[in-house]
Amino acid sequence: MATTETGSVDSVLGREPLVHRRPRLAILLGRDWQVSSLFVVPMLVVLVGFIAYPFLSAIWLSLNSKMIGGEAHFVGLANYQKLLGDSAFRRVATTSAIYTFFGVGLKFIVGLIAALVLHEALRPKNLWRMLLFLPWSIPVVIGAYTWRWLYDDMSGVLSQTLLQLGLTKDYVLWLANKDLTLRSILAVVVWQGTPFYMMNFLAGLAAIPGELYEAAEVDGAGVLRKFLHITLPGLVPVIIIVLMLSTIWTANDMQYVYILTRGGPQGVSEVFPYYAYKTAIEVKNLALGATVPLMFFPFLAIIMYFLTGRMLEED
Amino acid sequence: MRRSKLQTALIVAIMAILLVWTMFPFYWMLVTSIKENNEIYSPLATLWPRTFTLRHWAELLNRTPFLVHFRNSLIISGTTTLLSMAIGSLAAYAIARLQFRGRSVMARSLIYSYLVPPAVLFIPLFQLLGALDLLNSMQGLVVAYLTFTVPFCTWLLVGYFKTVPVELEEAALVDGCTPINTLLRITLPLSAPAMVVVALFSFTLSWNEFLYALTFTTDKNVQPVTAGLSGMAVEDVFFWGRMMAAAAVGSLPPIILYTAAQRYVVRGLTLGAVKG
């Protein structure tokens, strides 16, 4: 590339000239644009073809009426209006909010306790950590089926044990009793989701310098003060990232509800991702189903925006 | 740090509760799978089986398509892993090392892509795969799984490649190595820990996925384990012995992988945002 510059001071001195005469495209697109485009094309096919395009087509679909196998007709915002006016959808929104709030909150509390205890735990620490991580490693479907069996009305171990201990007078309908269903589902959500919090909090705890605690002990600080003034502030960056990621994942998960209750009894445990699945695939109303998660997307987009900022910052 | 006896007792007590709460479902899964039916459905739960039987395991292997599902899961997760590692490392090398316009936009869109939930994507992907004639095929599921593994792999590798000393690569490039050779011979071998993380997560996330598998496949010959399990209930009647045997086998691959690669796990959990 430097050949056109022969005779300049730089090339006489054996240095690269400061200004290359590059092809125009290289100036416009960057030095390595040719190799780079070859390297990023496969990734762009996935990002654009299978994420961005489907996302945009979901928005387009939500502006149409379309059943599986049927023709699409543009209907404007009719799907959105239909959902907003539907009392079943309003109940789904409330259930989703409760489900996400308590799911995330409980996982946070149990995960923090688990991490603090494990951080202090007696040997063999690695074994305890490995065992406590197990629920997160297995498929959610398998965790949910296992609990469905534990929750079985008549043959389930939980119901039978309570009966045998005389704590209840009758079989407990963990999933069929309207007042218990959501709590029973949340217990499974917490069981399987807590290890994610625990592992990240453990990593956060390990990163807090031990000298801080020693200095605090010299000053006579107790357990509570050390926790409030050293541990918790040290964990804040991890806590923020974990809470944001987990809120997105918890809110958008349909697996526990699908396996444990299919939204029952009488729809009390329907969360929006399950409602979307039911509407689009089981009722075959694709367009209305696609509209359901989009109604919640603005909330999600706010979290995604802040989370992305954090991730780029960390990098 | 010194601890009082009371503190130690408290720690032991909480640990014990956590371990029982975590492990009991696993124990019950295994124990149910080796009990006779009359004991499984008896009104009195037995903590230890009165009689042992391998009947449910034999039934699972002989009378259900479980082995086919297991093989499908291996094929789908394995292919997704290899493809996403290849696609991810190429793109990550370009983003981390090469100069071109749009690098920072790409970095940002990787995170956004990773965070777009399957709940939003599964309906349009259902249409798209239908249009490409990929519904009810393992290829279709691989394509769907790339939507979460590729952003994940690429982002993690970009972060790691930046920590690999650039001098070695520059020396290789000066010696006339092509960028692709530099990536294969210098950058990738030096990034072995990151490759372990992306392989581990690509495989296990694909293995555990359910919504896409449920929506995009109905043919038993192409369904993976997760979707196959929900087909094992006949008219809402569960054969719990058989079901728990399937649950145990289906959990095994991710458990083995996560346990073996335990020290790499934290890096992958949050896309590397929390350093382990």
Side-chain angles (χ1 to χ4, degrees), chain A residues 2-167:
Chain A
T3 47
T4 50
E5 300 280 336
T6 38
S8 77
V9 186
D10 283 322
S11 48
V12 170
L13 292 174
R15 288 201 308 247
E16 285 287 301
L18 283 174
V19 181
H20 291 268
R21 182 163 297 176
R22 295 190 207 155
R24 279 196 161 180
L25 273 173
I27 296 168
L28 198 67
L29 300 171
R31 188 190 70 201
D32 304 314
W33 72 274
Q34 283 165 314
V35 195
S36 305
S37 34
L38 280 180
F39 278 26
V40 296
V41 157
M43 176 199 75
L44 284 180
V45 169
V46 176
L47 254 54
V48 176
F50 295 101
I51 301 172
Y53 168 72
F55 179 69
L56 294 175
S57 73
I59 296 174
W60 173 244
L61 189 58
S62 74
L63 302 173
N64 283 273
S65 86
K66 169 146 174 56
M67 304 290 285
I68 290 184
E71 293 287 311
H73 302 284
F74 186 80
V75 293
L77 294 172
N79 286 322
Y80 292 88
Q81 283 165 343
K82 190 174 175 190
L83 286 177
L84 284 174
D86 183 5
S87 63
F89 177 78
R90 285 201 297 269
R91 189 190 56 204
V92 166
T94 316
T95 310
S96 294
I98 296 170
Y99 174 88
T100 308
F101 178 79
F102 283 100
V104 170
L106 290 168
K107 283 190 276 190
F108 171 74
I109 295 168
V110 180
L112 185 59
I113 293 172
L116 289 169
V117 168
L118 200 52
H119 190 61
E120 299 286 321
L122 316 166
R123 278 158 212 288
K125 214 181 205 171
N126 283 343
L127 176 69
W128 306 139
R129 190 182 59 185
M130 190 209 93
L131 291 177
L132 291 182
F133 185 68
L134 285 181
W136 198 85
S137 6
I138 67 168
V140 165
V141 186
I142 290 183
Y145 270 124
T146 307
W147 276 86
R148 183 161 169 176
W149 167 229
L150 295 172
Y151 280 148
D152 196 87
D153 302 344
M154 309 227 309
S155 310
V157 62
L158 295 176
S159 191
Q160 288 187 353
T161 309
L162 288 185
L163 204 59
Q164 279 165 38
L165 293 174
L167 292 171

Side-chain angles (χ1 to χ4, degrees), chain A residues 113-114 116-124 128 132, chain B residues 3-21:
Chain A
I113 293 172
L116 289 169
V117 168
L118 200 52
H119 190 61
E120 299 286 321
L122 316 166
R123 278 158 212 288
W128 306 139
L132 291 182
Chain B
R3 273 199 297 253
S4 69
K5 272 193 180 149
L6 183 74
Q7 278 171 307
T8 311
L10 197 65
I11 287 168
V12 171
I14 298 176
M15 266 301 280
I17 294 171
L18 284 172
L19 280 170
V20 171
W21 150 255

